[in-house]
Amino acid sequence: MISNVFTVDPWSVHEPELDVDLLGQTESLFALANGHVGMRGNLDEGEPHRMPGTYLNSFFESRPMPHAEGGFGFPEENQTLVNVPNGKLIRLLVDDEPLDVRYGQVHDHQRTLDMRSGILTRHVEWTSPNGQRVDVTSQRLVSFSQRAVAAISYEVSIPDDAGSDALLVVQSELFANEQMPEITGDPRVAAALTKPLAPEHNSHSTYGARMTHQTKRSELRVGAAMEHQVFGPDDVQVESSCSKNVGRTTVICRLKPGQSLRIVKYLAYGWSSTRSQPAIVDQVEAALDASLYTGWDGLVAAQREYLDAFWARADIEIDGDPRLQQAIRFSLFHVLQAGARAEKRAIGAKGLTGQGYDGHSFWDCETFVLPVFVHTNPRVAADALRWRHSTLDIATAHAATLGLEGAAFAWRTIRGEECSGYWPAGTAAFHVNADIADAVLRYVSATADTDFEREIGVDLLVATARLWRSLGHHDSASNFRIDGVTGPDEYSSVADNNVYTNLMAQRNLRGAADVCVRHPREAERLGVHSEEIASWRAAASAMVIPYDEKLGVHQQAEGFTSHAFWNFEDTPEENYPLLLNYPYFDLYRKQVVKQPDLVLAMVQCPDAFTPEQKAANFAYYERITVRDSSLSPGTLAVMAAETGHLDLAYDYLCESVQMDLADLENNVRDGIHLAATASSWTAIIQGLGGMRSHNGTLTFAPRLPSAVSGLRFRVLWRERSLHVEIGHGQATYTLEAPTTGHAPAGMSATSSEPVDLRHHDEDFTLHVDEPVTLDLPHAPATGVVEQPAGRAPLFRRMHQ
């Protein structure tokens, strides 16, 4: 864990000194992105590094997917996010000695990620092996306002007391087909690609270079360009060159003590599967010209303006725990970076911070990431669902291959094709289809965006409803069963009537029926008739929801509570995660849960369970959930809070929000855990804030753990901005007047109409600028809940 490496600050992540052994982690944590371009937080000079990385959303290479034993319908190709030309590189030579933190003497080395400005700042004081002292300060940003653009300000100075001048050579590079490190056997790590980019074009100017490449199998074309502004002594010399894979601008000058050299580097990227090489060159050139026109100061100002608008809408203020405050803002910042300018492309499980999971997008985007955007920046959520819609033809063809109707969306993918070669997950995890449908329903409920529902929602809901009607069947007792599927818990597989899957499918079927009634023209276009709608409603009403009458709990899947229990007492701590140390067949036949499948069902479908059932289910599954998935603690925090275990909810919230900053799973080097960072928002808003949507009414049931003295947040709801302030005795709700200032599309409220809400069991109406303060009832009495031996919440174990 590396949580103690960083200074605790509410608005920044500050690394006071460099630890080379932790570069893999900090490269991910200090990554900058805007949803379109992503850059790992590598050192300016490029070395040492753990994993170099510059990414463009959905720019990938295909590769064959061999199977030890093939099967009908198995995917034949995988897709892997490609490291595009690296423009971060700025190498400094001081009197022929390259700046390298492993040599000479580092007097000071600090890095700061400022989450209000969106800038990564690095300051280095270094003495070369031959005794020359230099100070280097760099600032890096990936622009939210100009999505194809990144920029770096790099300044070198000679201290006044240095005693002698120095000859400086700065080599600013654009480097393609970097050598990548070896990959371990961990299935969560990406596959290595060797020189995936075939050069097409290169050129240079006095102050920059341009190049285009094309991937060899997927045939995607990428363009990259750089240009520089140089500020220094009058005798500064600048020249540039470009070959197939390396563009270089060299700046040479001699500095005296007290003098400085500053270089501003502008970068532009673009890619396409259809545009020609000249068109890509023009596209990138135009983006580069726009960045030069704006200038460094203009990009910095626009970045701050964008983030001011974001934090005004999305910030969460927590009193009583400074480290928690820092971590939740860090989480929100990375969620924003992953999706802000994705614009109808996938949002990957690692965002654009690393190549873990090959850069694939999973079901957890719709389930964990999109709710954050639905209530802070709905446009991003709509765009992510439009991307899913763009893959509908692929999903329809996949369903047909499996002998099913409707659409079977990929469990993991970049472009839409299934990329999991492990069929119990990739093929049988059909719940992804209901997760997509659920995201549509939640988005429409929260925004009242009827145009989206008509143009996008109907297609997605009908296609997924048809899948469930085809996949399931009515048995002899007229119950509707969905057999042989894999739910969210990856330590169970190919089970009958998984509760999460069945409840989400039920919601999907009813939602599709309702939307077809609201939009009869679209339903007719899709060939939906009243008989089909009736069949969806009948299947939903007869859905099998397994329940163990003897134990008084729901079964994760039919027969699950009859399985033998995992031997937790004799499982050593070093054998977690279990998937890396035990065969799947043994995991599948035991009562052991990787991620809280049944608990997630209670969070996503709260009306399907009574309060008593929630308490009993939570206590039962808490004893067998080992949290080998980063998705676990955020979900557990929500249900712990709802069932009255407030201190446990706090423990799980801390675990969720520190997942990356503290490197709790020892793999943040491969990229941040985007869904886990997003679930931190869920743990607070739905957990401590108790926010739910019931039949179109937004409800709150807030309670705070003892470690938190106050909580404040905002959510967007049907074009209104709601401010919620929670203390230990009361909660205050305010409907804010629409803002008149400029805010990016999707991040502002436009309505001042009153809104009906519910606080615990009390209904009330909120009017603009008329706050309502209500008392908090006592939390329900609870019994003790226990975790598997050795698997108590991590932060509780650390402080025992």
Side-chain angles (χ1 to χ4, degrees):
M1 292 181 296
I2 60 172
S3 57
N4 293 329
V5 169
F6 302 115
T7 302
V8 178
D9 181 274
W11 283 107
S12 69
V13 178
H14 176 70
E15 180 190 49
E17 60 182 6
L18 182 68
D19 186 336
V20 173
D21 293 334
L22 297 178
L23 279 176
Q25 292 95 313
T26 56
E27 286 167 3
S28 296
L29 300 177
F30 287 148
L32 296 177
N34 60 13
H36 179 63
V37 178
M39 293 181 164
R40 281 176 64 80
N42 305 111
L43 303 179
D44 300 289
E45 56 273 17
E47 296 180 5
H49 65 249
R50 194 269 175 183
M51 176 72 72
T54 304
Y55 312 111
L56 295 178
N57 191 334
S58 299
F59 187 81
F60 70 93
E61 176 62 308
S62 300
R63 55 188 175 85
M65 185 186 296
H67 299 275
E69 293 187 19
F72 182 79
F74 284 12
E76 297 179 356
E77 286 200 338
N78 204 340
Q79 299 163 0
T80 297
L81 192 69
V82 169
N83 180 30
V84 300
N86 180 4
K88 303 187 296 288
L89 291 169
I90 301 179
R91 307 185 196 275
L92 171 66
L93 285 83
V94 180
D95 293 329
D96 293 330
E97 294 278 4
L99 190 159
D100 189 319
V101 295
R102 296 166 295 187
Y103 302 96
Q105 183 177 359
V106 176
H107 305 281
D108 186 41
H109 191 289
Q110 301 183 44
R111 288 187 290 178
T112 302
L113 175 63
D114 188 325
M115 295 175 287
R116 286 177 296 187
S117 67
I119 292 174
L120 175 65
T121 300
R122 179 192 184 203
H123 180 70
V124 185
E125 296 178 8
W126 179 74
T127 296
S128 68
N130 68 4
Q132 180 63 56
R133 174 82 172 265
V134 294
D135 295 344
V136 178
T137 299
S138 67
Q139 292 183 295
R140 183 187 301 172
L141 67 83
V142 175
S143 175
F144 287 112
S145 61
Q146 299 181 31
R147 74 168 195 158
V149 169
I152 302 169
S153 172
Y154 188 89
E155 185 168 4
V156 188
S157 61
I158 306 297
D160 291 330
D161 59 355
S164 62
D165 59 3
L167 178 65
L168 302 185
V169 178
V170 179
Q171 295 175 320
S172 177
E173 295 186 352
L174 194 59
F175 193 93
N177 287 319
E178 295 176 283
Q179 183 177 356
M180 305 301 284
E182 293 294 325
I183 304 299
T184 71
D186 189 333
R188 298 166 294 183
V189 180
L193 295 176
T194 303
K195 295 185 177 180
L197 300 175
E200 283 192 324
H201 163 82
N202 64 83
S203 63
H204 67 274
S205 62
T206 302
Y207 286 87
R210 295 94 172 99
M211 58 177 63
T212 61
H213 292 78
Q214 190 174 44
T215 54
K216 300 170 185 177
R217 291 179 61 90
S218 61
E219 297 183 342
L220 305 183
R221 179 173 284 114
V222 59
M226 66 176 182
E227 197 70 20
H228 302 79
Q229 293 173 332
V230 179
F231 308 91
D234 293 337
D235 62 346
V236 169
Q237 177 180 312
V238 181
E239 62 179 25
S240 298
S241 62
C242 193
S243 60
K244 292 179 179 180
N245 287 319
V246 182
R248 181 180 293 115
T249 294
T250 302
V251 180
I252 304 175
C253 71
R254 184 172 292 277
L255 288 187
K256 299 177 181 179
Q259 287 187 318
S260 63
L261 168 70
R262 179 170 177 252
I263 300 169
V264 179
K265 181 176 188 177
Y266 301 91
L267 295 159
Y269 291 93
W271 75 269
S272 175
S273 61
T274 58
R275 285 192 290 276
S276 66
Q277 180 264 323
I280 288 290
V281 171
D282 290 346
Q283 172 189 342
V284 173
E285 194 71 40
L288 195 62
D289 288 343
S291 68
L292 287 162
Y293 174 81
T294 305
W296 171 261
D297 291 342
L299 290 172
V300 169
Q303 193 85 334
R304 182 60 185 251
E305 182 180 10
Y306 187 99
L307 285 165
D308 282 348
F310 170 73
W311 290 117
R313 184 65 50 225
D315 189 25
I316 295 174
E317 297 176 281
I318 300 171
D319 298 330
D321 190 332
R323 190 174 292 279
L324 181 60
Q325 177 68 84
Q326 176 191 44
I328 186 59
R329 284 180 174 143
F330 172 84
S331 297
L332 288 169
F333 181 73
H334 266 291
V335 171
L336 176 70
Q337 289 200 129
R341 302 300 304 272
E343 298 175 4
K344 303 179 187 178
R345 287 185 178 141
I347 299 176
K350 298 294 185 182
L352 294 170
T353 67
Q355 289 181 253
Y357 293 118
D358 286 314
H360 293 158
S361 179
F362 292 76
W363 66 280
D364 47 26
C365 175
E366 280 78 14
T367 301
F368 296 98
V369 178
L370 294 198
V372 183
F373 286 120
V374 163
H375 293 289
T376 62
N377 191 346
R379 178 191 60 80
V380 174
D383 276 351
L385 291 169
R386 286 188 174 94
W387 165 71
R388 283 291 191 185
H389 185 267
S390 74
T391 70
L392 186 53
D393 288 346
I394 297 172
T396 301
H398 184 46
T401 299
L402 300 175
L404 299 170
E405 297 178 4
F409 286 93
W411 186 63
R412 61 183 296 175
T413 189
I414 294 178
R415 190 173 60 184
E417 295 87 353
E418 180 58 67
C419 290
S420 174
Y422 185 60
W423 72 267
T427 301
F430 286 101
H431 67 84
V432 62
N433 301 281
D435 299 323
I436 294 167
D438 180 67
V440 170
L441 294 170
R442 290 179 185 274
Y443 169 80
V444 173
S445 177
T447 63
D449 188 345
T450 55
D451 289 340
F452 174 90
E453 182 180 63
R454 182 180 63 255
E455 297 166 4
I456 302 296
V458 176
D459 286 355
L460 291 174
L461 289 167
V462 167
T464 47
R466 283 173 168 165
L467 175 82
W468 297 118
R469 191 63 187 83
S470 172
L471 183 65
H473 72 282
H474 288 280
D475 62 17
S476 58
S478 298
N479 298 312
F480 191 78
R481 304 177 56 86
I482 303 176
D483 295 329
V485 300
T486 300
D489 173 32
E490 295 165 23
Y491 286 172
S492 300
S493 181
V494 195
D496 295 341
N497 295 304
N498 172 259
V499 168
Y500 177 87
T501 301
N502 284 21
L503 285 175
M504 295 291 281
Q506 183 183 65
R507 176 170 166 79
N508 190 168
L509 289 161
R510 288 172 173 163
D514 292 344
V515 80
C516 285
V517 172
R518 288 195 295 271
H519 300 283
R521 288 187 179 180
E522 280 65 34
E524 182 180 1
R525 170 177 58 83
L526 296 172
V528 178
H529 301 291
S530 58
E531 293 83 0
E532 187 173 17
I533 293 175
S535 77
W536 295 342
R537 294 194 191 279
S541 297
M543 190 70 69
V544 171
I545 308 298
Y547 185 78
D548 188 322
E549 295 286 351
K550 183 177 180 180
L551 293 174
V553 297
H554 285 84
Q555 301 186 70
Q556 178 171 289
E558 207 165 55
F560 179 82
T561 53
S562 298
H563 292 176
F565 286 95
W566 186 267
N567 184 358
F568 299 108
E569 288 76 11
D570 293 333
T571 302
E573 183 175 354
E574 61 270 19
N575 279 13
Y576 291 95
L578 300 179
L579 67 95
L580 299 182
N581 295 284
Y582 298 94
Y584 273 116
F585 91 90
D586 203 19
L587 295 168
Y588 289 163
R589 62 195 187 96
K590 300 288 178 61
Q591 289 193 61
V592 55
V593 176
K594 179 184 180 187
Q595 52 214 56
D597 193 310
L598 193 282
V599 176
L600 181 59
M602 296 193 293
V603 172
Q604 296 294 89
C605 305
D607 295 336
F609 305 87
T610 67
E612 295 76 17
Q613 288 172 340
K614 290 177 182 177
N617 287 338
F618 180 69
Y620 185 89
Y621 285 92
E622 184 76 349
R623 295 197 301 269
I624 58 175
T625 300
V626 295
R627 304 192 317 284
D628 280 351
S629 166
S630 64
L631 303 180
S632 300
T635 297
L636 293 170
V638 175
M639 195 49 53
E642 183 172 345
T643 55
H645 302 279
L646 295 176
D647 289 338
L648 179 60
Y650 171 77
D651 290 336
Y652 281 141
L653 167 59
C654 289
E655 188 169 319
S656 175
V657 82
Q658 289 284 350
M659 186 63 62
D660 291 325
L661 278 176
D663 196 17
L664 299 185
E665 295 205 338
N666 299 310
N667 62 359
V668 75
R669 61 186 177 272
D670 302 313
I672 61 108
H673 298 80
L674 182 62
T677 64
S679 73
S680 302
W681 181 93
T682 306
I684 293 174
I685 306 301
Q686 293 188 4
L688 306 188
M691 188 180 83
R692 304 286 191 278
S693 174
H694 295 277
N695 299 319
T697 297
L698 197 63
T699 71
F700 295 89
R703 290 189 180 93
L704 296 183
S706 57
V708 175
S709 57
L711 172 64
R712 294 170 297 282
F713 60 85
R714 289 178 174 84
V715 292
L716 287 173
W717 176 255
R718 297 184 177 176
E719 301 182 333
R720 301 165 178 87
S721 175
L722 305 178
H723 182 266
V724 182
E725 183 172 358
I726 305 166
H728 276 281
Q730 295 179 321
T732 299
Y733 303 89
T734 304
L735 175 59
E736 299 178 323
T739 54
T740 57
H742 172 72
M747 275 200 280
S748 61
T750 58
S751 175
S752 59
E753 292 296 313
V755 60
D756 294 328
L757 301 173
R758 184 179 304 148
H759 168 86
H760 288 278
D761 294 325
E762 183 175 353
D763 294 325
F764 66 101
T765 300
L766 206 55
H767 299 268
V768 166
D769 293 334
E770 296 181 14
V772 173
T773 299
L774 299 169
D775 292 335
L776 302 185
H778 292 295
T782 60
V784 176
V785 295
E786 298 178 349
Q787 297 77 38
R791 302 304 289 171
L794 179 62
F795 283 84
R796 178 178 295 181
R797 281 183 276 151
M798 289 173 59
H799 294 97
Q800 284 179 341

